[in-house]
Amino acid sequence: MLHSAIKKVSQYIFGFILGLTFLLIFEKVHAQKVFSYGSKPKLIVGIVVDQMRYDYLYRFYSKFGNGGFKKLMSGGFNNRNTLYPYIPTATGPGHACIYSGSIPALDGIIDNEWYSRQSKKIMYCVSDSMVQSVGGSPNAGMMSPQNLLVSTVTDQLRLSNNFQSKVIGISQKDRASILPAGHTANAAYWLDGETGNFISSTYYLKTLPDWVQDFNSKGKAGLYLSQDWNTVFDISKYTESDPDFEPYESNLPGEKSPVFPHQLSKIPRKGFDLIRSTPFGNDLTKDFAISALEKENMGHSSFTDFLAISFSSTDYVGHTFGPNSIEVEDTYIRLDKNIEEILNYLDKNIGNRNYLIFLTADHGVAPTVGYSQTHNLPAGAVNGGDFTHLISDFLGKTFGNSALLERFSNDQIYLNQELVNSLGLNEDLIFQKLKTFLLSQKGVSNLINLNHIQNNNIETDLLNRIKNGYYAKRSGDFQVLLEPNWLFGRAQGANHGTGYHYDTHVPLLWYGWRIKPGEETFKMSSVADIAPTLSSFLQIEEPNGSTGKVLEIPLWPIL
Ligand SMILES: [Zn+2]
């Protein structure tokens, strides 16, 4: 009895040692494979969804098919707590941050547009008077990344191999195509609202390639706009959203009521800009992106290619109808199909292990003011024009000259510095008096002195976001902070731009190549981490203004 027990135990021990030996040998082989160099994806597809809050992944989950968002979530890696590290949360700064790993304080993209003290005019983030339009109306094409002061991961990829990787940016919005593609891209294409064509600028090309001209000649924007926009599922199934008609929704340009069906062919229009505010703008973007992949033969050379796609219709629809509208939900259900189509194309033509996808957003969005108020949440809208008058009147009454306010732009007060000096005024005194006055206004949470940022006693994360958004050559003197769910603008429709969570928390999904399925549930990550993480995957230098860290994303061994 005792003998057989000893025998059994020794058998177990022998088995255990044998198993351990196998495990160690396997791990050694495994480790060698993990650490062998040179495995890079043949193609990276960056997908930015304009105005996508992270919770949309979950709110609309039951309506998604198995081949789009769900496939990225279940088959890829999900950084669930990814936030923007600065304000303002807007499209220009967002795309700059995603692709450069940088912040406005370094990359210079302090908003979609900003007031220039030098020219006394508004500067648009990608405007460039030195270049011409290629393939479209003149004004729509005078664009380049000249205002972006740092390199992007797409630049670094091109720099890493003597410009042999192909990099292309695509979006309806010029800034969402140009900033991701960087300074050294082969091309960036965006939609010309006047002609409905995808165009570029002489910064990249002298003429549009044949395939782009062929695509444009099909007149797809017009074809899409000849259809009505109906809900994909029966409208009664949209239980995740508000009823179809709410007074705090805004209307499509030219339409009288925010309800389905949106009879697009009956809406009077000049040009094709209307497509932007419908999910068909995303369909068009997807069609053009698949054409680019195919006709540019992307992902088939020995160097990694990079396609940067940004879906903008989600933003236009979101602004118009608000995040709780059936229109927004339906737009995401349709975008899910767009993503599925792109994934199917890539699986078939590139192969699942050869391409890497990441998906994120350039900013989130606040609930519509009326929606919040209806549900007893504190919220409000401040008229920007009235607010500007309020400031200049106060400065006039208190310091004798209303022209002390040079501009109120992007929630920032630009003082007329020459006037401050010539009148012998103390800027700190102006700040103190103005702050006391503005704090008496409804919805104003704080006034921040941008010239002495550390002296402002506010919550640390918010202070850091303001600091990260400040670039001395382009920013104003004082920043007005509104309370959560308050905005400058109208009570109808929705907006973004703040440092609050609804604007800063966005999805971050990784899929394909060597990405192991999983999710980071606890650790916080920054959108600025995306570019350095990609740089690490690609074994290239990080973009020069990168402030992010490399994310811990588990990878399969190289087989
Ligand atoms: Zn927007």
Side-chain angles (χ1 to χ4, degrees), residues 51 315 319 363 496:
Q51 204 188 101
D315 182 66
H319 277 295
H363 54 77
H496 50 85

Side-chain angles (χ1 to χ4, degrees), residues 50-51 89-91 112 173 175 315-316 319 362-365 494-496:
D50 205 314
Q51 204 188 101
T89 36
T91 291
N112 289 335
K173 290 184 182 177
R175 58 190 181 277
D315 182 66
Y316 294 102
H319 277 295
D362 53 350
H363 54 77
V365 69
N495 213 344
H496 50 85

Side-chain angles (χ1 to χ4, degrees), residues 318-486:
H319 277 295
T320 307
F321 302 100
N324 296 90
S325 63
I326 293 178
E327 280 83 357
V328 161
E329 181 169 355
D330 194 63
T331 300
Y332 278 89
I333 290 167
R334 289 165 183 270
L335 178 64
D336 184 53
K337 304 270 173 270
N338 293 150
I339 291 169
E340 178 172 350
E341 216 177 302
I342 291 171
L343 288 174
N344 288 345
Y345 177 89
L346 294 173
D347 284 342
K348 195 167 159 222
N349 295 283
I350 312 287
N352 177 274
R353 298 297 294 258
N354 294 324
Y355 70 84
L356 168 67
I357 282 194
F358 72 91
L359 183 144
T360 189
D362 53 350
H363 54 77
V365 69
T368 305
V369 170
Y371 176 87
S372 297
Q373 290 174 341
T374 303
H375 298 285
N376 293 332
L377 288 157
V382 178
N383 181 296
D386 293 349
F387 199 78
T388 307
H389 285 303
L390 207 64
I391 297 168
S392 57
D393 285 355
F394 175 79
L395 291 175
K397 277 185 202 137
T398 315
F399 297 100
N401 197 327
S402 61
L404 279 166
L405 175 69
E406 185 166 327
R407 193 93 187 191
F408 181 59
S409 170
N410 301 335
D411 307 2
Q412 293 183 357
I413 291 166
Y414 291 71
L415 291 177
N416 183 327
Q417 293 291 353
E418 282 170 23
L419 204 54
V420 171
N421 292 335
S422 69
L423 294 174
L425 294 169
N426 179 324
E427 197 182 293
D428 290 343
L429 183 71
I430 298 177
F431 172 74
Q432 281 310 332
K433 296 235 179 221
L434 198 54
K435 182 172 172 176
T436 308
F437 171 65
L438 290 180
L439 288 180
S440 69
Q441 301 300 312
K442 249 188 140 188
V444 174
S445 154
N446 215 332
L447 186 71
I448 304 298
N449 191 337
L450 296 172
N451 298 318
H452 306 289
I453 201 113
Q454 294 300 354
N455 295 351
N456 297 282
N457 191 13
I458 57 166
E459 191 269 330
T460 316
D461 282 348
L462 204 50
L463 184 69
N464 284 337
R465 287 202 171 94
I466 295 167
K467 200 170 136 195
N468 290 342
Y470 175 76
Y471 176 60
K473 285 186 183 175
R474 295 175 183 172
S475 296
D477 298 298
F478 311 144
Q479 170 105 31
V480 178
L481 284 185
L482 295 182
E483 289 160 9
N485 282 5
W486 278 73

